[in-house]
Amino acid sequence: MVVHRDDTTTRMVDRYLMTYEGRVIAVRRHPALLLMPIVSVVAGLILCAAVQLTVGFAWIWLLWLVTVGYLVWNLAAWSLQFFLVTEHRIMVIRGVLNRDIAMMPMAKVDNIELKRSYTGRALGYGEFIIESAGQKQGLRRIRFVPYPEQLYLEVSSFVFGTIDSSPD
């Protein structure tokens, strides 16, 4: 079972639980989510250095600060986003200034699918696709899930139950 036990995670996640719920799984999305902001900062650094060396515009570094701000914003968003599974529901908590909580009751879950791209297999993340019996789904895709196979097995066994194969 994957459960975060640090105080920061507990405080951030527990406020969204009902009094009778216990946390079963609580994880952040995979840090690979931050690759594009990191690449944009590095590319911006190289581009700004090249522009200043060739043209001499010192103000070009202000544009690079925009990419750094983009990275900081995404880092803050990543640190505040959680995939949470309790006995009664599956939730994704996200948002920096405004909090957005997408939730699906366990009773509505019909199927959970795990998808892994080549990059996801290489870096260790996957995508959950959750199908429900209802028409409108507030929670359908969960991208950049860490420990995908382990979480898939744990969530599936929790949602659909385990089969006891021991003879009675």
Side-chain angles (χ1 to χ4, degrees):
M1 194 77 53
V2 177
V3 178
H4 278 268
R5 297 189 191 280
D6 63 347
D7 290 338
T8 306
T9 302
T10 300
R11 283 192 307 259
M12 293 177 77
V13 169
D14 286 350
R15 72 175 68 158
Y16 301 107
L17 298 178
M18 293 180 245
T19 55
Y20 57 86
E21 281 183 310
R23 236 178 329 119
V24 176
I25 299 170
V27 294
R28 283 188 174 92
R29 290 172 67 186
H30 195 277
L33 177 69
L34 300 170
L35 283 178
M36 285 308 295
I38 290 169
V39 166
S40 70
V41 167
V42 172
L45 176 66
I46 294 168
L47 183 65
C48 287
V51 167
Q52 185 174 4
L53 287 174
T54 58
V55 183
F57 294 139
W59 58 266
I60 196 74
W61 292 104
L62 294 175
L63 294 176
W64 182 66
L65 288 177
V66 171
T67 63
V68 172
Y70 175 66
L71 174 62
V72 169
W73 181 264
N74 279 283
L75 186 60
W78 171 81
S79 71
L80 296 172
Q81 186 173 45
F82 293 93
F83 171 56
L84 180 68
V85 179
T86 71
E87 299 92 359
H88 304 284
R89 54 195 177 145
I90 298 174
M91 296 186 291
V92 173
I93 302 168
R94 64 180 146 235
V96 176
L97 299 177
N98 299 322
R99 298 302 278 168
D100 178 28
I101 303 166
M103 185 272 302
M104 182 178 295
M106 291 290 188
K108 295 270 187 181
V109 176
D110 286 337
N111 188 33
I112 299 175
E113 183 179 342
L114 171 63
K115 286 192 173 189
R116 297 200 64 196
S117 64
Y118 175 75
T119 308
R121 287 192 319 266
L123 297 177
Y125 67 86
E127 175 183 10
F128 283 179
I129 299 173
I130 301 172
E131 297 175 6
S132 73
Q135 293 292 333
K136 186 177 179 186
Q137 298 180 12
L139 180 65
R140 172 146 168 72
R141 292 185 175 278
I142 305 167
R143 294 183 169 102
F144 294 97
V145 176
Y147 325 109
E149 285 89 7
Q150 180 183 355
L151 285 177
Y152 176 76
L153 292 173
E154 289 177 11
V155 172
S156 294
S157 67
F158 191 72
V159 170
F160 302 116
T162 56
I163 299 172
D164 186 7
S165 60
S166 61
D168 290 328

Short mmCIF file of all heavy atoms in Angstrom, two decimals, residues 14-50:
data_model
loop_
_atom_site.label_atom_id
_atom_site.label_comp_id
_atom_site.label_asym_id
_atom_site.label_seq_id
_atom_site.Cartn_x
_atom_site.Cartn_y
_atom_site.Cartn_z
N ASP A 14 -5.93 15.43 4.37
CA ASP A 14 -6.94 15.07 5.36
C ASP A 14 -8.09 16.07 5.46
O ASP A 14 -9.19 15.70 5.85
CB ASP A 14 -6.30 14.89 6.74
CG ASP A 14 -5.53 13.59 6.84
OD1 ASP A 14 -5.64 12.76 5.91
OD2 ASP A 14 -4.80 13.41 7.83
N ARG A 15 -7.86 17.30 5.07
CA ARG A 15 -8.95 18.29 5.15
C ARG A 15 -10.07 18.00 4.16
O ARG A 15 -11.16 18.54 4.28
CB ARG A 15 -8.41 19.69 4.96
CG ARG A 15 -7.99 20.01 3.55
CD ARG A 15 -7.56 21.43 3.37
NE ARG A 15 -6.32 21.64 4.10
CZ ARG A 15 -5.46 22.60 3.85
NH1 ARG A 15 -5.73 23.45 2.90
NH2 ARG A 15 -4.36 22.73 4.52
N TYR A 16 -9.82 17.15 3.16
CA TYR A 16 -10.83 16.82 2.16
C TYR A 16 -11.51 15.48 2.43
O TYR A 16 -12.34 15.05 1.64
CB TYR A 16 -10.20 16.83 0.76
CG TYR A 16 -9.61 18.17 0.43
CD1 TYR A 16 -8.24 18.35 0.41
CD2 TYR A 16 -10.43 19.26 0.17
CE1 TYR A 16 -7.70 19.60 0.13
CE2 TYR A 16 -9.89 20.51 -0.11
CZ TYR A 16 -8.53 20.66 -0.12
OH TYR A 16 -7.99 21.89 -0.39
N LEU A 17 -11.14 14.83 3.52
CA LEU A 17 -11.75 13.56 3.87
C LEU A 17 -12.94 13.77 4.79
O LEU A 17 -12.94 14.68 5.63
CB LEU A 17 -10.73 12.66 4.57
CG LEU A 17 -9.50 12.27 3.76
CD1 LEU A 17 -8.57 11.41 4.61
CD2 LEU A 17 -9.89 11.55 2.49
N MET A 18 -13.94 12.90 4.67
CA MET A 18 -15.06 12.92 5.59
C MET A 18 -14.59 12.29 6.90
O MET A 18 -13.60 11.56 6.93
CB MET A 18 -16.24 12.17 4.98
CG MET A 18 -16.81 12.88 3.76
SD MET A 18 -18.18 11.98 3.08
CE MET A 18 -17.50 11.53 1.50
N THR A 19 -15.31 12.54 7.96
CA THR A 19 -14.87 12.08 9.28
C THR A 19 -14.75 10.56 9.38
O THR A 19 -13.93 10.06 10.13
CB THR A 19 -15.84 12.58 10.38
OG1 THR A 19 -17.17 12.15 10.05
CG2 THR A 19 -15.80 14.08 10.49
N TYR A 20 -15.54 9.84 8.61
CA TYR A 20 -15.51 8.38 8.67
C TYR A 20 -14.55 7.75 7.65
O TYR A 20 -14.43 6.54 7.57
CB TYR A 20 -16.92 7.81 8.48
CG TYR A 20 -17.58 8.24 7.19
CD1 TYR A 20 -17.37 7.55 6.01
CD2 TYR A 20 -18.41 9.35 7.17
CE1 TYR A 20 -17.97 7.94 4.83
CE2 TYR A 20 -19.03 9.75 5.99
CZ TYR A 20 -18.80 9.04 4.84
OH TYR A 20 -19.40 9.44 3.68
N GLU A 21 -13.87 8.58 6.85
CA GLU A 21 -12.96 8.05 5.83
C GLU A 21 -11.53 8.00 6.34
O GLU A 21 -11.08 8.88 7.06
CB GLU A 21 -12.96 8.94 4.58
CG GLU A 21 -14.12 8.74 3.68
CD GLU A 21 -14.00 9.59 2.44
OE1 GLU A 21 -13.76 10.81 2.56
OE2 GLU A 21 -14.16 9.04 1.35
N GLY A 22 -10.84 6.96 5.94
CA GLY A 22 -9.41 6.86 6.19
C GLY A 22 -8.69 6.88 4.86
O GLY A 22 -9.19 6.35 3.87
N ARG A 23 -7.53 7.50 4.84
CA ARG A 23 -6.74 7.54 3.61
C ARG A 23 -6.20 6.16 3.31
O ARG A 23 -5.68 5.48 4.18
CB ARG A 23 -5.56 8.50 3.81
CG ARG A 23 -5.50 9.56 2.83
CD ARG A 23 -4.37 10.53 3.05
NE ARG A 23 -3.98 10.75 4.42
CZ ARG A 23 -2.77 10.47 4.90
NH1 ARG A 23 -1.85 10.00 4.12
NH2 ARG A 23 -2.48 10.71 6.15
N VAL A 24 -6.32 5.71 2.10
CA VAL A 24 -5.75 4.44 1.68
C VAL A 24 -4.53 4.68 0.82
O VAL A 24 -3.45 4.18 1.09
CB VAL A 24 -6.80 3.58 0.93
CG1 VAL A 24 -6.18 2.32 0.42
CG2 VAL A 24 -7.98 3.27 1.84
N ILE A 25 -4.67 5.49 -0.22
CA ILE A 25 -3.57 5.82 -1.12
C ILE A 25 -3.58 7.34 -1.32
O ILE A 25 -4.63 7.92 -1.61
CB ILE A 25 -3.72 5.13 -2.48
CG1 ILE A 25 -3.73 3.62 -2.31
CG2 ILE A 25 -2.62 5.55 -3.43
CD1 ILE A 25 -4.11 2.87 -3.58
N ALA A 26 -2.44 7.95 -1.18
CA ALA A 26 -2.30 9.39 -1.45
C ALA A 26 -0.92 9.61 -2.06
O ALA A 26 0.08 9.41 -1.39
CB ALA A 26 -2.45 10.20 -0.17
N VAL A 27 -0.89 9.98 -3.35
CA VAL A 27 0.38 10.22 -4.03
C VAL A 27 0.29 11.49 -4.87
O VAL A 27 -0.77 11.88 -5.32
CB VAL A 27 0.79 9.04 -4.95
CG1 VAL A 27 1.08 7.79 -4.14
CG2 VAL A 27 -0.25 8.76 -6.00
N ARG A 28 1.45 12.10 -5.07
CA ARG A 28 1.56 13.22 -6.01
C ARG A 28 1.73 12.63 -7.41
O ARG A 28 2.14 11.50 -7.56
CB ARG A 28 2.78 14.07 -5.68
CG ARG A 28 2.59 14.97 -4.52
CD ARG A 28 3.79 15.92 -4.39
NE ARG A 28 3.54 16.89 -3.36
CZ ARG A 28 3.90 16.74 -2.09
NH1 ARG A 28 4.56 15.68 -1.71
NH2 ARG A 28 3.61 17.67 -1.20
N ARG A 29 1.45 13.45 -8.41
CA ARG A 29 1.70 13.01 -9.78
C ARG A 29 3.20 12.88 -10.00
O ARG A 29 4.01 13.45 -9.28
CB ARG A 29 1.09 14.00 -10.75
CG ARG A 29 -0.43 13.90 -10.71
CD ARG A 29 -1.10 14.98 -11.48
NE ARG A 29 -0.86 14.83 -12.92
CZ ARG A 29 -1.26 15.74 -13.80
NH1 ARG A 29 -1.89 16.81 -13.43
NH2 ARG A 29 -1.02 15.55 -15.08
N HIS A 30 3.59 12.12 -11.00
CA HIS A 30 5.00 11.86 -11.28
C HIS A 30 5.71 13.16 -11.65
O HIS A 30 5.15 14.00 -12.37
CB HIS A 30 5.11 10.86 -12.44
CG HIS A 30 6.45 10.26 -12.57
ND1 HIS A 30 7.47 10.90 -13.24
CD2 HIS A 30 6.96 9.09 -12.13
CE1 HIS A 30 8.55 10.16 -13.20
NE2 HIS A 30 8.27 9.05 -12.54
N PRO A 31 6.96 13.35 -11.18
CA PRO A 31 7.71 14.57 -11.51
C PRO A 31 7.99 14.76 -13.00
O PRO A 31 8.37 15.86 -13.41
CB PRO A 31 9.02 14.41 -10.74
CG PRO A 31 8.78 13.36 -9.73
CD PRO A 31 7.65 12.51 -10.22
N ALA A 32 7.78 13.74 -13.81
CA ALA A 32 7.95 13.89 -15.26
C ALA A 32 7.01 14.95 -15.81
O ALA A 32 7.25 15.51 -16.88
CB ALA A 32 7.72 12.56 -15.97
N LEU A 33 5.97 15.26 -15.07
CA LEU A 33 5.05 16.32 -15.43
C LEU A 33 5.78 17.66 -15.56
O LEU A 33 5.36 18.53 -16.32
CB LEU A 33 3.97 16.42 -14.34
CG LEU A 33 2.93 17.51 -14.45
CD1 LEU A 33 2.02 17.21 -15.62
CD2 LEU A 33 2.12 17.59 -13.18
N LEU A 34 6.90 17.79 -14.88
CA LEU A 34 7.67 19.04 -14.89
C LEU A 34 8.71 19.12 -16.01
O LEU A 34 9.44 20.11 -16.10
CB LEU A 34 8.35 19.23 -13.53
CG LEU A 34 7.41 19.30 -12.33
CD1 LEU A 34 8.20 19.25 -11.04
CD2 LEU A 34 6.55 20.55 -12.41
N LEU A 35 8.79 18.08 -16.85
CA LEU A 35 9.82 18.09 -17.90
C LEU A 35 9.67 19.24 -18.89
O LEU A 35 10.66 19.89 -19.24
CB LEU A 35 9.81 16.76 -18.65
CG LEU A 35 10.48 15.60 -17.94
CD1 LEU A 35 10.36 14.32 -18.76
CD2 LEU A 35 11.93 15.91 -17.65
N MET A 36 8.48 19.51 -19.35
CA MET A 36 8.29 20.60 -20.32
C MET A 36 8.64 21.96 -19.73
O MET A 36 9.33 22.75 -20.40
CB MET A 36 6.87 20.59 -20.88
CG MET A 36 6.64 19.48 -21.89
SD MET A 36 7.86 19.43 -23.22
CE MET A 36 7.55 20.95 -24.05
N PRO A 37 8.22 22.29 -18.51
CA PRO A 37 8.67 23.58 -17.94
C PRO A 37 10.19 23.64 -17.78
O PRO A 37 10.79 24.70 -18.01
CB PRO A 37 7.96 23.64 -16.59
CG PRO A 37 6.76 22.79 -16.75
CD PRO A 37 7.16 21.70 -17.68
N ILE A 38 10.83 22.54 -17.41
CA ILE A 38 12.29 22.54 -17.26
C ILE A 38 12.96 22.73 -18.61
O ILE A 38 13.90 23.51 -18.75
CB ILE A 38 12.75 21.24 -16.56
CG1 ILE A 38 12.32 21.24 -15.10
CG2 ILE A 38 14.27 21.08 -16.67
CD1 ILE A 38 12.50 19.92 -14.39
N VAL A 39 12.46 22.04 -19.63
CA VAL A 39 13.01 22.18 -20.98
C VAL A 39 12.83 23.62 -21.47
O VAL A 39 13.73 24.19 -22.10
CB VAL A 39 12.36 21.17 -21.95
CG1 VAL A 39 12.64 21.50 -23.39
CG2 VAL A 39 12.81 19.76 -21.61
N SER A 40 11.69 24.24 -21.17
CA SER A 40 11.47 25.62 -21.62
C SER A 40 12.43 26.59 -20.93
O SER A 40 12.90 27.54 -21.56
CB SER A 40 10.02 26.04 -21.40
OG SER A 40 9.73 26.18 -20.03
N VAL A 41 12.76 26.34 -19.66
CA VAL A 41 13.72 27.20 -18.96
C VAL A 41 15.11 27.05 -19.57
O VAL A 41 15.81 28.05 -19.82
CB VAL A 41 13.73 26.91 -17.44
CG1 VAL A 41 14.93 27.54 -16.76
CG2 VAL A 41 12.45 27.40 -16.80
N VAL A 42 15.52 25.82 -19.83
CA VAL A 42 16.85 25.58 -20.41
C VAL A 42 16.93 26.14 -21.83
O VAL A 42 17.90 26.82 -22.20
CB VAL A 42 17.20 24.08 -20.38
CG1 VAL A 42 18.48 23.80 -21.15
CG2 VAL A 42 17.33 23.60 -18.93
N ALA A 43 15.90 25.89 -22.64
CA ALA A 43 15.88 26.42 -24.00
C ALA A 43 15.85 27.94 -24.00
O ALA A 43 16.54 28.59 -24.80
CB ALA A 43 14.68 25.87 -24.77
N GLY A 44 15.08 28.52 -23.09
CA GLY A 44 15.04 29.97 -22.96
C GLY A 44 16.38 30.55 -22.55
O GLY A 44 16.78 31.61 -23.04
N LEU A 45 17.08 29.85 -21.67
CA LEU A 45 18.41 30.31 -21.25
C LEU A 45 19.37 30.33 -22.44
O LEU A 45 20.08 31.32 -22.65
CB LEU A 45 18.94 29.39 -20.15
CG LEU A 45 20.35 29.65 -19.65
CD1 LEU A 45 20.43 30.99 -18.95
CD2 LEU A 45 20.80 28.53 -18.73
N ILE A 46 19.38 29.26 -23.21
CA ILE A 46 20.26 29.18 -24.37
C ILE A 46 19.89 30.24 -25.40
O ILE A 46 20.76 30.94 -25.94
CB ILE A 46 20.21 27.76 -24.98
CG1 ILE A 46 20.82 26.75 -24.00
CG2 ILE A 46 20.92 27.72 -26.33
CD1 ILE A 46 20.56 25.30 -24.36
N LEU A 47 18.60 30.40 -25.66
CA LEU A 47 18.14 31.39 -26.64
C LEU A 47 18.47 32.81 -26.19
O LEU A 47 18.98 33.62 -27.00
CB LEU A 47 16.64 31.23 -26.87
CG LEU A 47 16.02 32.15 -27.91
CD1 LEU A 47 16.58 31.83 -29.29
CD2 LEU A 47 14.51 32.00 -27.91
N CYS A 48 18.23 33.12 -24.94
CA CYS A 48 18.53 34.48 -24.43
C CYS A 48 20.02 34.76 -24.46
O CYS A 48 20.44 35.87 -24.79
CB CYS A 48 17.97 34.64 -23.02
SG CYS A 48 16.18 34.77 -22.98
N ALA A 49 20.84 33.78 -24.11
CA ALA A 49 22.29 33.96 -24.15
C ALA A 49 22.75 34.20 -25.59
O ALA A 49 23.58 35.08 -25.85
CB ALA A 49 23.00 32.75 -23.55
N ALA A 50 22.18 33.46 -26.54
CA ALA A 50 22.56 33.63 -27.94
C ALA A 50 22.15 35.00 -28.46
O ALA A 50 22.91 35.66 -29.17
CB ALA A 50 21.93 32.52 -28.79
#
